[in-house]
Amino acid sequence: MSTTTATPSTETPTRRSFDYKTFLANNGALVGLVVLCIALVIATPDFLTGQNLLNIGIQVSTVAVLAFGMTFVIVAGGIDLSVGAVAALSAMASGWFFISAGLPGWMALIAGLVVGLLAGVVNGAANAYGKLPSFIATLAMLSVARGLTLVISDGRPIKTAPEVSFLGGNIGPVPMPIVILVLAALVASFILNRTVLGRSMYAVGGNAEAARLSGLPVKRIIVTVFALAGVFAALAGLLLAGRLDSAQPQAAAGYELDAIAAVVIGGASLSGGLGKISGTFIGALVLVVIRNGLNLLNVSSFWQQVVIGLVIALAVGADVLRRKTRNS
């Protein structure tokens, strides 16, 4: 029989080293935003003024609300290239219902949201039941929505209802777009994190076939996801129309790229199954702060396009690296 007894270890527990790679992978967008803000504070004294920060808040509202809907689509494994055009069509339709059809202002506002909802349902049905890739289905919708916007307006701006203009006003000292932004973020975060639908989006985006075999109604989920993206796009279009006090036929042109970039910068994966609303909000802030800073530094709009394009390329490259790291 052994007489050996266990002796208590005299070694002190080793402290776990800080894993900066994991930290950067999970918080890269936030770190980049902080570094960007510090650089702009040093480069220009106008950046940190109250008026400029308020402008950033107002400008980010449209992009972020649009991107919240895009987050649902990308988490579910799709892409929506039509959100900018749907935003313009929804605002234009709302103006038409108010001016030409004579609907009360509040009904015209709701009609604009319904137009966005219907556009999203068509996108989702074409993808889920028509077997069209989301890229193709939404590219077609982009063209249709832009065309309808020009048909309705005959290429001219249309006056919006007072209820829509209210969205671009203030509540006391607080701009209404910022209030809408906060409410939209809370609703989107609740849907994605606290509902069965949100969990289903992650499952469908992670592996649609496995989700189908586990009993999830994948096609209905896809239609619902695109419908939500359409509603958020319509809300963004109405916000923009409220700020401009009119519906513009070329409004939100190119915003679909900003929305996709905001979602990817915020940590979502273009292959689906990964993404969060807070990350999307930070991604939208990064884009708006870059544009704002370049304006303050008097950089031409042509070079701004180049810089934004490089940021998008870096974000997509980071997504590819994340996927490789996850699969290795």
Side-chain angles (χ1 to χ4, degrees):
M1 181 177 176
S2 173
T3 57
T4 305
T5 56
T7 56
S9 173
T10 57
E11 295 180 1
T12 56
T14 56
R15 183 178 296 175
R16 293 183 62 184
S17 60
F18 179 69
D19 189 350
Y20 68 91
K21 288 184 178 178
T22 303
F23 178 80
L24 284 178
N26 295 329
N27 303 282
L30 182 59
V31 172
L33 178 63
V34 171
V35 171
L36 183 63
C37 289
I38 292 173
L40 287 172
V41 167
I42 295 171
T44 169
D46 296 328
F47 178 75
L48 212 53
T49 61
Q51 185 60 47
N52 189 55
L53 295 179
L54 210 56
N55 287 338
I56 290 175
I58 294 172
Q59 289 167 8
V60 81
S61 60
T62 306
V63 176
V65 170
L66 204 64
F68 292 156
M70 183 70 78
T71 306
F72 298 141
V73 178
I74 289 180
V75 165
I79 196 84
D80 190 344
L81 300 180
S82 68
V83 289
V86 170
L89 175 62
S90 301
M92 191 60 71
S94 175
W96 184 87
F97 279 116
F98 178 66
I99 297 293
S100 300
L103 289 184
W106 66 271
M107 288 186 69
L109 191 152
I110 292 175
L113 294 173
V114 171
V115 168
L117 171 70
L118 293 176
V121 168
V122 172
N123 279 336
N127 179 228
Y129 295 98
K131 304 297 183 186
L132 286 178
S134 58
F135 180 88
I136 301 298
T138 57
L139 187 63
M141 178 57 74
L142 183 155
S143 181
V144 170
R146 279 289 171 201
L148 286 175
T149 304
L150 292 170
V151 168
I152 293 171
S153 66
D154 201 19
R156 294 191 292 265
I158 288 183
K159 180 72 177 172
T160 53
E163 285 77 1
V164 175
S165 299
F166 174 73
L167 297 179
N170 288 359
I171 295 182
V174 182
M176 193 65 186
I178 295 179
V179 176
I180 299 293
L181 167 65
V182 173
L183 293 176
L186 291 174
V187 170
S189 185
F190 177 79
I191 292 173
L192 199 56
N193 300 323
R194 302 288 181 183
T195 66
V196 174
L197 175 62
R199 290 192 289 275
S200 300
M201 291 179 197
Y202 286 107
V204 171
N207 189 325
E209 183 60 18
R212 187 187 68 79
L213 292 174
S214 65
L216 288 178
V218 174
K219 292 181 178 178
R220 273 189 289 163
I221 290 169
I222 290 174
V223 173
T224 306
V225 164
F226 277 96
L228 282 171
V231 172
F232 275 83
L235 180 59
L238 293 169
L239 271 179
L240 192 57
R243 283 170 49 198
L244 300 173
D245 205 23
S246 65
Q248 306 278 343
Q250 294 299 334
Y255 275 37
E256 52 277 349
L257 290 181
D258 281 4
I260 294 169
V263 177
V264 177
I265 291 171
S269 172
L270 286 173
S271 61
L274 191 65
K276 51 188 180 180
I277 296 300
S278 59
T280 296
F281 174 68
I282 292 171
L285 261 180
V286 168
L287 289 176
V288 171
V289 168
I290 288 175
R291 283 208 175 92
N292 179 267
L294 293 176
N295 278 329
L296 292 176
L297 295 172
N298 293 319
V299 176
S300 77
S301 58
F302 305 139
W303 279 108
Q304 290 186 27
Q305 290 297 323
V306 174
V307 173
I308 295 297
L310 290 174
V311 170
I312 293 173
L314 285 173
V316 174
D319 175 41
V320 173
L321 282 176
R322 276 197 301 267
R323 273 185 281 167
K324 283 184 178 177
T325 304
R326 221 171 37 235
N327 296 330
S328 61

